[in-house]
Amino acid sequence: MIRVSGGHHNWWTFNLDEDNAKYWVDLHPKNVKFLDFHSAADYTAQCMADTYSNLHVAMSGGLDSEYVASTFYRNSIKFTPVVGFVKGSKNLDFHYALDWCDKRSITPIILEFEYN
């Protein structure tokens, strides 16, 4: 039997019975909060900031990573944006991430990858 727990305060446990090829997940959240999406994002960002002191957000230029960065920013949570791109790629979405950082005077870590 393999058991792995995770989540905030270990609120879930994944169980694997290798002998019978079965698995299940036990959920045991504490202090359940019913929040709208933005409030839940703010709450989660605060929990992360309380748990970790050196937060980084990988920003692709897409809306999902921008939302995470905006949530940290809105809550005055210090974080470092990490923007990666492939040199020579036709996908230029990373420019949106750089623009987001520039408008807020935040210096990102920039990772430039090559096809080789």
Side-chain angles (χ1 to χ4, degrees), residues 91-112:
N91 182 350
L92 300 177
D93 286 352
F94 73 95
H95 284 288
Y96 293 111
L98 294 176
D99 185 57
W100 185 94
C101 293
D102 187 52
K103 288 179 179 175
R104 289 156 184 83
S105 300
I106 299 174
T107 303
I109 293 173
I110 300 174
L111 303 175
E112 180 180 341

Side-chain angles (χ1 to χ4, degrees), residues 4 11 18 20 27 29 32 37 43-44 53-54 57 63 69 72 75 86 98 103-104:
V4 179
W11 72 272
E18 295 173 291
N20 297 307
L27 304 177
V32 174
F37 187 81
Y43 173 76
T44 302
S53 61
N54 190 16
V57 175
L63 291 177
F72 285 137
N75 285 278
V86 177
L98 294 176
K103 288 179 179 175
R104 289 156 184 83

Side-chain angles (χ1 to χ4, degrees), residues 49 53-56 72 75-80:
S53 61
N54 190 16
L55 293 169
H56 289 68
F72 285 137
N75 285 278
S76 300
I77 296 170
K78 186 177 189 256
F79 71 98
T80 303

